[in-house]
Amino acid sequence: MTARVAVKVQPRASREGVGGRVGEEWKILVRAPAVEGKANEACLDFLARGLGVTRSAVRIVSGATSRHKRIAIEGVTQEALERFLKGER
């Protein structure tokens, strides 16, 4: 099973977390700057930790150089991903 999500990454945020929904995307707040892939890594690490999967199970499908990305997460259902993003347990 693979869950997919469209995200907008906000680098250099004051906190790390989910910033809510923006249209069809979820805003992911990361403290890392958008240089040398640090914000991408922080976003993927945040999702892996929050969903309880290994870091290698989370990958960017498209948008590696953009703030707008499509991410795939192996081993998580779409419903579990949505619950996490909404802050539900």
Side-chain angles (χ1 to χ4, degrees):
M1 77 192 106
T2 302
R4 296 183 183 271
V5 64
V7 300
K8 178 180 180 187
V9 177
Q10 181 179 327
R12 294 191 185 268
S14 60
R15 66 179 179 89
E16 185 178 81
V18 180
R21 203 166 181 118
V22 180
E24 293 297 312
E25 299 175 319
W26 286 93
K27 184 185 270 188
I28 304 293
L29 310 171
V30 295
R31 290 188 181 108
V35 292
E36 299 174 2
K38 290 180 181 177
N40 284 350
E41 289 302 314
C43 176
L44 299 178
D45 289 344
F46 168 74
L47 290 170
R49 277 192 322 272
L51 293 165
V53 297
T54 63
R55 169 58 187 80
S56 62
V58 185
R59 64 185 169 86
I60 297 174
V61 176
S62 66
T65 60
S66 170
R67 288 184 185 209
H68 304 275
K69 305 176 187 315
R70 296 223 175 261
I71 297 176
I73 302 118
E74 296 288 333
V76 174
T77 65
Q78 195 68 38
E79 293 79 22
L81 173 61
E82 290 291 324
R83 282 194 309 271
F84 167 72
L85 293 170
K86 291 177 183 174
E88 300 170 0
R89 292 290 159 194

